[in-house]
Amino acid sequence: MADMTYLLSFIAVAAIATFATRVIPFVFFERHTEHPLIKHLGRYLPAAVMALLATVFLTRSGNWNAAVPGLDAVLPGLLVVAIHLWRRNALLSIAAGTAAYMTIQQTGFLAGF
Amino acid sequence: MNQSVFRLTLPILFGYIPLGMAFGVLFATQLDYPWWAAPLMGVLIYAGAGQILAVSLLAVGAGMVEVFVAMFVLNARHLFYGLSLLGQFRGAGWRKAYLIFGLTDETYSLLTSRPRGPDRHHEQEVDFRITGFNQCYWVIGCAIGALLGDNVAFDSTGIEFALVALFIVLTIEQYKALKDGFPLWTGAAAAGIAMLMLSPSHQLIGAIVIVTAVLLVHYRRLKDTGATEGANHG
């Protein structure tokens, strides 16, 4: 049987470290909520982070050694954009893109490209 | 209201259950610990990449200082999320601690992208429920994965693309709300630079540091040119 004391202290330390990354801004900047710089970040940071996450995760979803690098992820990604601009229904866009990606990955029908 | 919150979190469900399961399977197959430690980590740590890293740290019996530093550095991007939510979480009372605890990439994305009414207290309660739903999906995923271990046989390959699609949709929504492409191009360019220059585990934090630095310069410039803060300059 593995060492339970080690496991539980491990989980406790990992939990504290992770929570620290989330709580620190609230501890140190709480009194500066009205500062124009904080408002500036509040206005622009979410949009920038969203584009950044979309770019990184989309890139990681693709096979960049294929004949057309990344096509297996970029194609479903473009489908999400097109359907979302067309209907602006988040669930529909996400379901369509995910279904397309799953089909491509499971059937491998883009493998020849 | 709960139903609309559930609908809002559906993409997270499709992303978190398979990813949580991936962690659970990894935990069960790599380590000789009881299965319930996997969902326990989902409850107390609640960080996808962090928990997957934790499996390899547990496997080598890493020391506590090493564990703290590794988890802090890997999750350091969360430091920047709070900055844009300081006002939004203000006065949330007892819910605030949990709202802060539950700030994953995906929860941050939902909380900063959804439209908000004038009733702050109500909106904070919705935020609280979104956070709670999301963590439930994650913990359930961790538990199923650890219980099934190697015996996971269904083909859900690729379903985690739901999270990629969610980020794409939210990027479009952010653009429509802001009517300013500048932060989007900055974010995408920063991601590109970070992916070219950094190892995978440092790419997210690297990109967020670049984005924040650019926004600081942007802020200084607006101030120097005398543009009023909050003005639309799209």
Side-chain angles (χ1 to χ4, degrees):
Chain A
M1 190 63 196
D3 182 359
M4 291 307 289
T5 315
Y6 175 73
L7 175 68
L8 294 179
S9 9
F10 181 103
I11 294 178
V13 169
I16 291 166
T18 306
F19 184 62
T21 63
R22 291 167 177 157
V23 80
I24 282 174
F26 293 90
V27 173
F28 288 97
F29 295 101
E30 187 71 86
R31 275 175 295 157
H32 305 290
T33 310
E34 296 305 314
H35 189 283
L37 174 59
I38 293 292
K39 286 191 159 177
H40 183 81
L41 289 178
R43 181 177 161 83
Y44 291 107
L45 196 58
V49 167
M50 226 59 68
L52 175 169
L53 289 172
T55 308
V56 170
F57 283 92
L58 182 73
T59 309
R60 287 185 186 171
S61 303
N63 173 12
W64 296 86
N65 295 319
V68 183
L71 187 68
D72 58 338
V74 170
L75 221 53
L78 288 175
L79 185 70
V80 174
V81 174
I83 292 187
H84 198 68
L85 291 177
W86 176 38
R87 302 300 294 264
R88 217 176 164 194
N89 176 336
L91 282 186
L92 177 70
S93 323
I94 290 163
T98 306
Y101 182 79
M102 289 177 75
T103 309
I104 291 170
Q105 298 301 325
Q106 293 187 11
T107 61
F109 81 84
L110 277 184
F113 290 87
Chain B
M1 185 188 80
N2 257 333
Q3 200 182 348
S4 68
V5 169
F6 176 68
R7 271 178 63 92
L8 214 53
T9 60
L10 259 181
I12 314 259
L13 184 147
F14 290 119
Y16 271 11
I17 299 260
L19 287 179
M21 285 177 64
F23 159 75
V25 169
L26 193 68
F27 182 93
T29 52
Q30 302 293 311
L31 302 172
D32 185 28
Y33 287 111
W35 71 271
W36 50 258
L40 182 68
M41 288 168 82
V43 171
L44 296 177
I45 303 174
Y46 188 32
Q51 284 175 230
I52 287 167
L53 172 72
V55 172
S56 43
L57 292 174
L58 276 170
V60 298
M64 291 304 145
V65 175
E66 196 184 339
V67 173
F68 188 92
V69 172
M71 295 298 280
F72 190 90
V73 171
L74 184 66
N75 292 317
R77 66 185 181 284
H78 299 140
L79 288 168
F80 297 86
Y81 293 170
L83 287 179
S84 41
L85 290 168
L86 287 169
Q88 198 166 307
F89 287 178
R90 199 172 223 185
W94 60 270
R95 292 192 177 88
K96 189 169 168 177
Y98 182 66
L99 284 170
I100 295 171
F101 167 82
L103 266 186
T104 59
D105 296 329
E106 291 75 14
T107 303
Y108 174 75
S109 304
L110 282 192
L111 297 194
T112 54
S113 300
R114 66 186 194 84
R116 290 178 175 271
D119 182 351
R120 274 167 60 86
H121 188 76
H122 170 77
E123 295 302 336
Q124 285 167 344
E125 193 175 315
V126 175
D127 286 348
F128 183 79
R129 286 175 199 225
I130 291 173
T131 309
F133 272 104
N134 290 351
Q135 193 179 9
C136 284
Y137 307 147
W138 177 251
V139 174
I140 290 169
C142 294
I144 299 175
L147 273 173
L148 295 183
D150 276 334
N151 306 319
V152 182
F154 68 99
D155 195 357
S156 63
T157 307
I159 197 172
E160 72 286 349
F161 192 81
L163 291 181
V164 182
L166 173 70
F167 291 137
I168 295 173
V169 164
L170 294 181
T171 303
I172 297 172
E173 290 298 327
Q174 288 277 354
Y175 175 73
K176 297 215 173 201
L178 213 53
K179 295 188 176 59
D180 184 351
F182 168 72
L184 301 189
W185 297 122
T186 305
I193 294 168
M195 281 187 289
L196 287 175
M197 300 185 59
L198 301 172
S199 69
S201 60
H202 296 114
Q203 287 167 358
L204 283 182
I205 180 67
I208 289 176
V209 167
I210 295 171
V211 156
T212 309
V214 172
L215 287 180
L216 290 181
V217 174
H218 182 222
Y219 170 76
R220 292 292 305 242
R221 279 200 157 172
L222 287 183
K223 231 174 84 175
D224 290 347
T225 56
T228 47
E229 159 255 324
N232 201 343
H233 41 268

